[in-house]
């Protein structure tokens, strides 16, 4: 069983969005010659009103599922798919599970509060085989059926990160032998630049980079590995991720 990127967050929250009626040309992500185990990342800058489709094309027959992530800077966005799964925030993602087609469609909307501003986004697609753990596949409480994202909240002293367990091949949840490990990465103190923000998120997208750049959270510090609490340091951002094997 291979390692898999489980989920990633950056002090994100889930927020409601209003959809515009303006349609822009679709964003195309080509997975040709990208078997399971590959990641594709790209930046997009979208302006003013936005209602954009993301087309993931030429999906390899060996791909059991893929994780699509969208990270925005200073502006909430909403990502949905043809099954009506929908998630909103600044760091969001959905799972596409394999079917007979080699193309998948997603839909991206801007939050109505940010319509007058430019917005920069990072879009990442990671492909996996059907035998890999499905991130958030054993979801019990989040909004989407499969929840490959984390909910992050903060108080004056603590940051709370909640995620959902992965499922094993065949959607087994009650007798899974998957091991999940949590990681985090600090950003430079008092650096709120877009360059810093996206550079550190990119370091925590692939499994190899998470292990290389992230700090492993020691096991046994909390009773529930999928609910972690961290000390909050004002002016210092943090990227959170999890890897399952």
């Amino acid at each position: 069983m291979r390692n898999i990127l489980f989920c990633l967050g950056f002090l994100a929250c889930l927020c409601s969005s209003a959809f515009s009626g303006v349609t822009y040309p679709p964003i195309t992500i080509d997975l040709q010659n990208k078997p399971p185990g590959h990641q594709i990342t790209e930046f997009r800058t979208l302006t003013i009103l936005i209602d954009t489709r993301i087309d993931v094309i030429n999906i390899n027959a060996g791909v059991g599922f893929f994780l699509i992530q969208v990270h925005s800077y200073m502006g909430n966005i909403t990502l949905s798919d043809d099954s009506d799964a929908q998630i909103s925030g600044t760091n969001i993602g959905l799972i596409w599970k394999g079917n007979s087609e080699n193309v998948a469609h997603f839909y991206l909307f801007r939050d109505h509060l940010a319509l007058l501003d430019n917005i920069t986004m990072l879009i990442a697609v990671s492909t996996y085989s059907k035998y890999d753990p499905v991130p958030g596949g054993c979801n019990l409480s989040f909004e989407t059926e499969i929840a490959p994202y984390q909910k992050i909240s903060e108080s004056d002293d603590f940051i709370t990160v909640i995620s959902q367990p992965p499922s094993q091949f065949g959607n087994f949840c009650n007798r899974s032998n998957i091991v999940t490990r949590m990681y985090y990465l600090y950003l430079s103190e008092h650096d709120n630049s877009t360059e810093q923000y996206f550079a550190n998120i990119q370091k925590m997208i692939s499994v190899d980079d998470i292990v290389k750049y992230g700090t492993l959270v020691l096991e046994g510090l909390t009773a529930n590995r999928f609910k972690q609490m961290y000390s909050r340091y004002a002016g210092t951002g943090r990227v959170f991720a999890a890897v399952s094997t």
Side-chain angles (χ1 to χ4, degrees):
M1 184 179 297
R2 295 170 51 252
N3 287 345
I4 180 171
L5 172 64
F6 174 42
C7 45
L8 184 147
F10 181 90
L11 297 183
C13 63
L14 300 181
C15 309
S16 61
S17 296
F19 301 158
S20 75
V22 179
T23 302
Y24 282 71
I27 298 170
T28 300
I29 298 178
D30 193 343
L31 295 184
Q32 188 170 20
N33 301 320
K34 300 294 182 184
H38 282 73
Q39 289 84 33
I40 295 178
T41 60
E42 60 178 89
F43 285 99
R44 295 281 175 154
T45 301
L46 304 178
T47 58
I48 314 302
L49 300 176
I50 196 68
D51 178 347
T52 298
R53 190 177 78 232
I54 302 174
D55 294 335
V56 182
I57 64 173
N58 294 319
I59 302 170
N60 189 287
V63 173
F65 67 93
F66 65 73
L67 167 63
I68 180 170
Q69 302 179 49
V70 183
H71 302 276
S72 65
Y73 182 77
M74 301 297 288
N76 288 320
I77 51 179
T78 295
L79 180 69
S80 65
D81 62 17
D82 286 332
S83 71
D84 294 327
Q86 178 176 300
I87 184 68
S88 299
T90 54
N91 307 91
I92 54 181
L94 291 173
I95 290 290
W96 177 90
K97 299 190 75 172
N99 55 37
S100 59
E101 299 183 1
N102 68 344
V103 62
H105 304 293
F106 298 87
Y107 307 92
L108 198 59
F109 305 94
R110 286 285 300 275
D111 189 294
H112 67 286
L113 296 177
L115 291 180
L116 298 181
D117 300 320
N118 295 347
I119 187 168
T120 302
M121 298 185 302
L122 181 151
I123 301 173
V125 174
S126 303
T127 59
Y128 300 98
S129 81
K130 66 180 181 179
Y131 299 107
D132 290 322
V134 178
C138 292
N139 171 42
L140 294 176
S141 60
F142 286 5
E143 288 81 351
T144 55
E145 180 180 359
I146 301 176
Y149 48 86
Q150 299 179 117
K151 289 188 177 182
I152 302 176
S153 59
E154 57 182 327
S155 64
D156 290 340
D157 299 315
F158 296 101
I159 298 170
T160 302
V161 182
I162 301 175
S163 53
Q164 296 295 322
S167 61
Q168 208 160 6
F169 175 65
N171 293 323
F172 292 120
C173 292
N174 58 351
R175 50 190 178 94
S176 169
N177 60 359
I178 298 171
V179 176
T180 300
R181 295 179 175 88
M182 306 299 178
Y183 293 81
Y184 63 87
L185 172 67
Y186 283 111
L187 278 67
S188 298
E189 188 175 2
H190 299 296
D191 186 344
N192 297 322
S193 66
T194 57
E195 294 79 11
Q196 169 86 186
Y197 178 81
F198 286 117
N200 282 277
I201 287 178
Q202 283 189 288
K203 289 180 179 178
M204 298 289 276
I205 286 182
S206 74
V207 171
D208 289 343
D209 282 346
I210 291 172
V211 174
K212 178 179 179 180
Y213 295 107
T215 297
L216 175 65
V217 177
L218 298 179
E219 296 185 18
L221 298 180
T222 60
N224 181 0
R225 79 183 72 176
F226 298 103
K227 182 178 181 180
Q228 299 286 332
M229 295 185 68
Y230 304 87
S231 297
R232 181 177 181 270
Y233 302 109
T236 304
R238 212 179 311 190
V239 183
F240 302 98
V243 171
S244 294
T245 55

